Each structure stands twice: as structure tokens, then as C-alpha cells.
Amino acid sequence: MARMTVRTAAKALGVSPQILEEYLERTGKMEAIRHGKRVFIPSHEVKALLEEKKRQTQSVNAPPKDTASEPPVGENTISVPASHYEALLEELGRLRYQSQLLEFYRTEAYEKNALLLEKEHRLGQLEAELAQLKKPWWHRLCRL
């Protein structure tokens, strides 16, 4: 059985290796053979995907049919150029990273706020003790 590396398969498909790896993980439509740390894809899988891509391109370029009686096929599927898809994935990665940072800072701010409230409470107690200690000794003795 002929097989290709992920990099070679991605080049043949016209996408980046990262996009292809994500596609493999997300969909599981293509068979991936792991050999140690390397990942190989059977060449017949890549050819089948290329043919499917070609068919989709032809169907997009084909003249519109009378679809009044037929339900829409792939209603939830859209096609975007690979470069735009990669840009969207990069932006998604950045947004996820920012979301993680935001959650970290939010948690940190909450903890600092709780510590600040504790310190303010302790400060109030210490000020009350200091006010008691500043009174003359006879006031403390008589608790006036």
C-alpha cells in the first residue's frame, strides 16, 4: 500500500500540514497510520479526497438546476478558500488564547479582591484596638 507523509498529502491537497492534521483529528474521515512520531496517509485516501474536491468545484461551477422540488443538499456546509480558512483558524486560536488569559486574569482579580477585603477587615480591627490603646489606662480599666 502506497502512503504519503502529512506534509506531502497537504501539498497535494493544497492546504497546510496543520490544516490537514486538524482535519484528520476532527473528522476521522481519512485513515491515518502512525509509525512512531510520524503520521502517514494512504495515497488512495488522498486521491479520493482530491476527486471529491474536484466534484465539489465542478458542482459549484455548474449551472443552477431547478431545485424547487429537491431539498437542499449540504445545507449546513459552506466552501471557503484555503487561505481564508487558515486565517480564520489562526484568529480562532488567538481568540481562544485571549479567552484563557481573560479567565486567568478574572480569577486572579477575584482572589486579589478577596484578599483586599480580608486586609480591610483586619485593618478595621487593628484601628479599633489602637483606639482602645490610646485611651488613658483608667478608661480601659473602667471600660468607658
Side-chain angles (χ1 to χ4, degrees):
M1 166 177 30
R3 57 187 185 179
M4 308 171 121
T5 63
V6 172
R7 176 174 280 157
T8 308
K11 190 173 182 179
L13 293 168
V15 296
S16 71
Q18 293 84 9
I19 299 293
L20 184 57
E21 287 174 354
E22 186 174 301
Y23 177 80
L24 288 170
E25 290 175 13
R26 189 180 67 236
T27 63
K29 288 184 178 180
M30 293 176 67
E31 180 184 353
I33 303 166
R34 297 205 180 273
H35 191 276
K37 291 184 178 182
R38 297 190 63 167
V39 179
F40 295 96
I41 301 169
S43 59
H44 65 84
E45 296 270 347
V46 176
K47 287 178 186 175
L49 194 59
L50 277 171
E51 288 174 13
E52 181 182 330
K53 187 177 177 183
K54 191 182 293 185
R55 273 187 264 122
Q56 286 178 351
T57 305
Q58 288 173 352
S59 67
V60 168
N61 294 335
K65 298 187 250 177
D66 181 25
T67 57
S69 60
E70 297 178 14
V73 177
E75 187 174 307
N76 297 330
T77 306
I78 60 169
S79 296
V80 292
S83 60
H84 184 65
Y85 180 74
E86 290 177 15
L88 288 174
L89 282 179
E90 288 176 13
E91 185 177 354
L92 178 63
R94 276 194 304 274
L95 290 173
R96 284 181 178 164
Y97 177 72
Q98 288 176 355
S99 174
Q100 289 173 348
L101 282 179
L102 181 63
E103 187 61 34
F104 171 76
Y105 289 133
R106 185 179 290 141
T107 304
E108 193 173 277
Y110 178 78
E111 291 171 356
K112 286 182 179 180
N113 192 27
L115 286 173
L116 183 62
L117 289 174
E118 288 179 27
K119 299 290 183 189
E120 287 176 349
H121 179 70
R122 181 67 180 139
L123 181 64
Q125 290 176 340
L126 290 173
E127 286 175 343
E129 287 180 30
L130 182 63
Q132 283 289 351
L133 291 173
K134 284 185 176 180
K135 290 182 179 179
W137 63 271
W138 63 86
H139 283 262
R140 288 182 295 204
L141 186 64
C142 300
R143 296 197 185 236
L144 298 173

